[in-house]
Amino acid sequence: MKNKRLVFSAVALLLALLLILGGTFAYFTDFASKNAEATAGTVDIDWVDTAALGLLSTDSLDNYNPGDGRLVPAQVKNTGNKSVDIRQTVYISPVDSTGAFLATDVPQTMGWALFKKSDCTDVDGNFVPTDLTKALTLTLDSANNRYYYMTPAGEETVLNGNGASNNEVEDSITATATEDEFVLYFLPASDNRYQAAKVGLDLLAEAKQHRNTAGVAWTDLQTVDYDAVTTVVPTTEQKNDGTAY
């Protein structure tokens, strides 16, 4: 019995010590560290054409007729010193004369379609598609009454760094700005329900560092609210929760 009491006492003492030490075991240990400091690169983009986006006719009229194609200047330049991947999203919001959303089949047969400028011919300032089948694929976002085109995964434009110093330059890349330009074309088959219709267009460009992100999808990145229905990657001045630094 005495031996049992001694064993119980030893166990109790061990448990008490474990509670005091927080459940950790002590062994002989050591660690060494080194610290290095470097300046983080910058990811910063801007539009090449910083003027307000407009969809007026060549004679500055707000009349959009079937068969009209308006140029959408969407070129983006890298103003930071890190190389970046650029993706673009174009939002198109057509409404009829009462303000009701004008939804059609996708691919669209009526209303507005989006083309690359390179697939259009400039006819005295009116950009006409050379082939209607080359329209970019629009996705219907019925929840938010709009269509959108987003740069497909794997087709992002890589831009070299273009800051004041320490610019990253990638192999076989020479560009510091995108060549993206679109044409918003009013399809000729559009019927009379499009009289007095309006179309809204929004451009969104996003950049992420190019290096060390080969296996990182955009959906894996932190996002912040852009508006009530859209999220984007944070700007240079934003924390991951959307607040400003």
Side-chain angles (χ1 to χ4, degrees), residues 183-198:
V183 169
L184 187 62
Y185 185 65
F186 199 178
L187 293 167
S190 302
D191 61 20
N192 280 335
R193 67 186 171 128
Y194 283 88
Q195 290 204 42
K198 296 183 181 296

Side-chain angles (χ1 to χ4, degrees), residues 29-50:
T29 60
D30 187 21
F31 84 91
S33 67
K34 286 186 177 182
N35 298 98
E37 185 175 73
T39 302
T42 56
V43 172
D44 200 7
I45 59 174
D46 198 1
W47 302 106
V48 170
D49 183 354
T50 57

Side-chain angles (χ1 to χ4, degrees), residues 42-231:
T42 56
V43 172
D44 200 7
I45 59 174
D46 198 1
W47 302 106
V48 170
D49 183 354
T50 57
L53 185 63
L55 294 173
L56 299 179
S57 66
T58 54
D59 46 2
S60 300
L61 298 178
D62 188 17
N63 291 332
Y64 221 136
N65 301 303
D68 284 349
R70 307 283 167 79
L71 184 64
V72 180
Q75 293 170 291
V76 175
K77 61 183 176 181
N78 187 5
T79 55
N81 60 17
K82 292 190 67 61
S83 55
V84 295
D85 299 331
I86 299 289
R87 77 168 178 180
Q88 296 231 38
T89 308
V90 183
Y91 296 101
I92 301 170
S93 306
V95 295
D96 65 18
S97 59
T98 70
F101 178 55
L102 280 167
T104 60
D105 294 334
V106 177
Q108 292 171 279
T109 56
M110 291 190 290
W112 285 269
L114 194 68
F115 291 83
K116 291 182 178 179
K117 179 188 175 184
S118 57
D119 289 326
C120 299
T121 301
D122 183 355
V123 182
D124 297 325
N126 188 48
F127 290 83
V128 181
T130 55
D131 184 348
L132 292 181
T133 65
K134 292 185 177 181
L136 296 171
T137 300
L138 297 179
T139 299
L140 174 61
D141 179 7
S142 56
N144 297 302
N145 290 341
R146 61 186 180 180
Y147 298 96
Y148 68 90
Y149 166 79
M150 179 183 288
T151 304
E155 296 183 18
E156 299 88 350
T157 301
V158 181
L159 300 179
N160 283 332
N162 191 35
S165 61
N166 298 318
N167 294 314
E168 294 178 349
V169 177
E170 304 301 329
D171 292 340
S172 74
I173 302 297
T174 59
T176 57
T178 70
E179 297 181 354
D180 294 323
E181 287 187 285
F182 302 102
V183 169
L184 187 62
Y185 185 65
F186 199 178
L187 293 167
S190 302
D191 61 20
N192 280 335
R193 67 186 171 128
Y194 283 88
Q195 290 204 42
K198 296 183 181 296
V199 61
L201 187 143
D202 293 289
L203 288 176
L204 181 63
E206 297 174 274
K208 66 178 177 69
Q209 69 179 66
H210 175 72
R211 296 188 179 184
N212 305 323
T213 62
V216 179
W218 290 90
T219 51
D220 295 331
L221 302 176
Q222 294 281 352
T223 59
V224 297
D225 290 335
Y226 169 66
D227 56 27
V229 296
T230 310
T231 58

